[in-house]
């Protein structure tokens, strides 16, 4: 009989406890031995909880208990989660986390600490909720040279964009609906401005390319500027999605970005709607594989934490978690102006005759009384921004500039 | 420096060797030590191969060598692959296989043998080619009660059906094209009659539900009867796909089937086209997750074998492969007549007035000069077949009966 502890009894932490007792027998069979939740750490009181006897307020009770072998960290935020996680790992207690903020900020350090103490720091739940993505990426695809990863990694923004696409709602109305349904927080900045997706692509980038990528080195643009006009115009060729992606640019450099992009209808990613997430991985062996599922929510996220707990419990003496190097600087992260893509431009219909001198060979996808929109050949973002400047010098205001996702 | 051997130098085996030398440095970094291919077993001669010095004709050279730690079995077929695999595992040499026929026939026995000899029998490549599905299913989703798995597990049939759906080709013409493109063999029976998909759903069923499911206990129907008329009529509601699925019917019984089904457009599975495969997994924690990618081909399948090799090499002392019980009989496999689904019927338009007494509440989806097609409420397959008989007694021939996939 081994003992586990859960840090934080919020949405995910309570989900872990719920899922564990629901499927206890199956989980124990998979882990190979009996298990129980011995402690739940939370500063709040839960007098009516069936687990009220398990609640503690100090991490010391857990790390000094001597019986706890695995901890689920479901607190969120960097502190005190970082300190608590270090205390566990230093005692050889494996930690399974859903805390993307902490992994994105301190993953390198915590993975090294786990390795040094012959235990595991697992973080499957930190990216893509229920979707198995971390373990498949570093285990199953180990034979590949991964050339790029592109994902819809934030359910809130995907819900909002889906409402704009399918129901013709404006951004503000779709956001309000998302808040009413509990998909968006009252302060939605972390989601709609792309910071949540940024943390996740940092984790994926670090894992795939072996060096810690910090969120502040990643170009991040959210969806607050997305206009319904563009959603409707691009419907002919694809769907606007908030894409978090990373590509290998050279042997030494990578380019991670978070920004709205047009996903062509031919890509399965364009069919990923509502709160669902998906991650498309490109590599020299696999060509492409995609993982799809619920990127958030109580039980989906708890499922990922639980999978990690089973793995940690089954192999308590084996270091299975992947490490990556600390990065002393960001010089291996390329500037987003190097992004290469077909580019979508929208301008006022009145200006359309002024475009030809600046951009020939473009495919016109809309030319009506109000709007003129076209898609260029593949350009670098630098070239696209230069084109935008040239148009401005010709008296043409570019209303929208969006890159197309290429697979 | 550890040594690996490859059994069989056909499409997959040569792909493993190619991918290994292409990404050797990355692979060694993941495995944690240097590696090399020491032997390639094949009865044929490859005098022009750059690896000609590695070829051997006897398995004894490999198992008695003393240096080989992991073997990639890419031979296909039950014998001699079964005997060779046993010889390796008995010596504590881990085996990674792409051989679905062998895993479906003898998986229980070989997994037990691996466990008894503290080595691993991995088979990620046996289902879904490049797609990570085996490891995610038994590792990442370990916290879930898996209620069902449904997949498009055969690329050849999916290519044929895609050609029928998108290009209006008849079955025979689409098969011929698949053969010309190398997607179908000259004797296409294993693909188009569903046996290949059957082996794969047997492996998934055994893994998820813990008992060996033999191919001959699984109701298997291929796509040779699929008519272009039906493909076109159902386009309104979904796409006809060859679906291999398994559901938990009770705590004691499961229902695996392989048959053409109508996948509603709302399901992401309906968008999986050409030679691509996908697997949708339903569970109480995850809700649903889907895995998508290339289900066959040289490098995609080699990628899955290579991922297994890295895992086996990295953890040569840890048994990571999941075991399942041998099954003394098939009593835990339910009869396919218990399948519950909405049902699509097509009859001659001339008979449409004779239907109402037998089936009310059906949704008519086609009523033209030739065809009358409708979809019933959820029925068991037994009830659907009884309805077919009743219609026959009323003088109505049912031209097509197809179940709809429900998620």
């Amino acid at each position: 009989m081994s003992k586990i502890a859960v840090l934080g009894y919020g949405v995910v932490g309570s989900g872990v406890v719920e899922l564990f007792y629901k499927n206890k027998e199956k989980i124990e069979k998979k882990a190979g031995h009996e298990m129980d939740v011995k402690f739940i750490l939370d500063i709040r009181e839960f007098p009516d909880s069936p687990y009220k006897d398990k609640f503690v307020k100090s991490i010391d009770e857990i790390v000094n208990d001597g019986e706890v072998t695995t901890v689920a960290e479901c607190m969120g935020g960097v502190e005190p989660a970082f300190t608590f996680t270090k205390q566990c790992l230093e005692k050889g207690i494996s930690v399974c986390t859903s805390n993307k903020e902490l992994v994105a900020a301190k993953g390198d350090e915590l993975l090294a600490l786990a390795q040094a103490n012959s235990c595991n720091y697992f973080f499957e739940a930190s990216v893509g909720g229920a979707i198995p993505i971390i373990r498949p990426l570093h285990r199953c695809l180990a034979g590949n040279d991964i050339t790029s990863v592109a994902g819809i990694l934030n359910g809130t923004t995907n819900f909002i964009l889906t409402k704009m696409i399918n129901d013709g709602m404006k951004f503000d109305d779709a956001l309000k609906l998302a808040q009413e349904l509990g998909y968006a927080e009252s302060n939605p900045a972390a989601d709609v401005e792309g910071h949540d997706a940024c943390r996740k692509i940092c984790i994926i980038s670090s894992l795939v390319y072996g060096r810690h990528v910090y969120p502040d080195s990643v170009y991040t643009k959210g969806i607050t500027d997305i206009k319904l006009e563009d959603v409707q115009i691009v419907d002919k060729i694809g769907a606007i999605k908030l894409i978090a992606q990373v590509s290998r640019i050279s042997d030494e450099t990578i380019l991670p970005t978070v920004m709205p992009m047009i996903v062509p209808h031919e890509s399965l990613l364009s069919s990923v709607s509502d709160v669902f997430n998906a991650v498309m991985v490109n590599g020299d062996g696999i060509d492409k594989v995609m993982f799809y599922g619920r990127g958030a929510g109580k039980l989906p996220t708890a499922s990922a934490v639980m999978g990690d707990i089973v793995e940690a419990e089954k192999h308590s003496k084996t270091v299975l978690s992947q490490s990556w190097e600390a990065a002393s600087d960001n010089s291996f992260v390329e500037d987003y102006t190097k992004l290469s893509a077909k580019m979508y431009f929208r301008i006022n219909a009145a200006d359309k005759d002024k475009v030809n001198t600046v951009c020939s060979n473009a495919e016109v996808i809309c030319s009506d009384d109000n709007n003129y929109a076209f898609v260029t050949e593949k350009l670098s973002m630098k070239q696209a921004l230069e084109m935008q400047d040239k148009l401005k010098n010709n008296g043409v205001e570019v209303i929208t500039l969006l890159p197309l996702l290429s697979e």
Side-chain angles (χ1 to χ4, degrees), chain A:
Chain A
M1 163 80 80
S2 74
K3 301 295 169 66
I4 63 175
V6 178
L7 314 188
Y9 199 64
V11 174
V12 178
S14 63
V16 170
V17 176
E18 179 182 331
L19 196 64
F20 175 75
Y21 285 109
K22 185 165 187 296
N23 295 332
K24 189 166 184 288
E25 215 175 306
K26 288 190 176 72
I27 288 166
E28 289 173 336
K29 198 173 166 197
K30 294 251 165 102
H33 57 252
E34 291 190 352
M35 289 161 63
D36 203 7
V37 176
K38 186 165 184 182
F39 298 111
I40 304 171
L41 178 79
D42 205 293
I43 47 168
R44 295 165 296 181
E45 304 282 345
F46 294 87
D48 302 325
S49 165
Y51 311 114
K52 60 176 184 288
D53 297 340
K54 299 179 189 293
F55 281 88
V56 293
K57 289 197 161 49
S58 162
I59 187 73
D60 297 335
E61 279 199 60
I62 294 169
V63 295
N64 296 329
D65 177 67
E67 269 203 327
V68 174
T69 44
T70 302
V71 156
E73 187 267 294
C74 310
M75 305 175 68
V78 174
E79 282 295 358
F82 179 49
T83 303
F84 291 179
T85 300
K86 278 198 294 188
Q87 285 181 261
C88 293
L89 295 174
E90 279 163 359
K91 289 263 184 180
I93 299 170
S94 289
V95 176
C96 308
T97 189
S98 58
N99 188 338
K100 55 208 169 238
E101 204 178 335
L102 179 56
V103 180
K106 303 285 185 184
D108 51 348
E109 201 173 323
L110 293 171
L111 287 163
L113 194 60
Q115 190 140 38
N117 289 281
S118 296
C119 60
N120 285 295
Y121 184 52
F122 287 141
F123 49 93
E124 185 62 72
S126 68
V127 181
I131 311 169
I133 174 68
I134 300 298
R135 194 164 283 113
L137 260 181
H138 89 261
R139 306 280 275 279
C140 307
L141 305 183
N144 284 263
D145 179 21
I146 305 284
T147 47
S148 67
V149 181
I152 295 169
L153 294 177
N154 179 271
T156 308
T157 46
N158 205 39
F159 176 83
I160 291 170
L161 291 169
T162 301
K163 285 291 155 191
M164 294 176 77
I165 295 165
N166 291 353
D167 303 337
M169 290 177 84
K170 288 190 174 169
F171 173 80
D172 290 336
D173 298 329
L175 170 59
K176 213 178 139 202
L177 178 63
Q179 286 171 323
E180 282 166 16
L181 292 171
Y183 295 151
E185 300 187 34
S186 53
N187 178 354
D191 290 321
V192 299
E193 288 173 8
H195 303 305
D196 174 75
C198 175
R199 288 174 193 137
K200 293 167 180 168
I201 200 67
C202 284
I203 296 171
I204 287 177
S205 303
S206 305
L207 184 72
V208 170
Y209 297 107
R211 279 175 96 172
H212 197 101
V213 177
Y214 293 97
D216 60 8
S217 66
V218 177
Y219 176 81
T220 301
K221 187 169 159 45
I223 63 162
T224 51
D225 291 343
I226 298 297
K227 304 285 187 306
L228 196 51
E229 288 91 325
D230 293 303
V231 167
Q232 288 164 345
I233 290 169
V234 306
D235 187 50
K236 221 169 132 179
I237 56 168
I240 298 177
K241 299 283 181 188
L242 182 65
I243 296 294
Q245 68 168 345
V246 60
S247 311
R248 192 164 54 60
I249 300 291
S250 72
D251 281 352
E252 299 301 323
T253 59
I254 61 171
L255 174 50
T257 55
V258 177
M259 61 173 102
M261 297 182 86
I262 298 168
V263 182
H265 287 310
E266 301 83 60
S267 168
L268 199 58
L269 275 180
S270 71
S271 304
V272 174
S273 48
D274 295 320
V275 294
F276 282 87
N277 282 197
V279 184
M280 185 76 81
V281 183
N282 293 280
D284 60 350
I286 49 173
D287 182 17
K288 57 183 175 184
V289 301
M290 192 182 92
F291 305 87
Y292 162 91
R294 289 196 178 270
K298 182 176 181 167
L299 291 184
T301 310
S303 158
V305 176
M306 206 62 239
D308 280 352
I309 292 174
V310 169
E311 184 104 330
E313 280 291 308
K314 192 170 179 185
H315 303 291
S316 56
K317 300 275 173 287
T318 309
V319 179
L320 292 167
S321 52
Q322 185 83 7
S323 298
W324 58 68
E325 292 169 23
S328 52
D329 62 44
N330 291 331
S331 61
F332 66 107
V333 177
E334 292 275 12
D335 190 77
Y336 90 105
T337 54
K338 295 224 173 142
L339 181 83
S340 169
K342 293 182 178 181
M343 301 285 172
Y344 163 90
F345 284 83
R346 176 164 66 95
I347 60 170
N348 278 317
D351 294 329
K352 72 178 180 187
D353 294 334
K354 302 180 197 163
V355 168
N356 284 342
T357 53
V358 177
C359 177
S360 51
N361 292 326
E363 184 198 355
V364 177
I365 63 166
C366 171
S367 179
D368 63 21
D369 289 349
N370 302 308
N371 294 300
Y372 185 75
F374 56 90
V375 172
T376 69
E377 293 296 289
K378 251 192 184 182
L379 303 176
S380 69
M381 185 57 85
K382 183 163 181 279
Q383 291 171 310
L385 293 171
E386 285 167 359
M387 191 181 286
Q388 186 173 14
D389 286 344
K390 273 188 209 160
L391 288 165
K392 203 173 179 185
N393 293 340
N394 282 12
V396 180
E397 186 208 358
V398 172
I399 305 169
T400 307
L401 165 58
L402 284 173
L404 273 69
L405 181 69
S406 50
E407 277 192 6

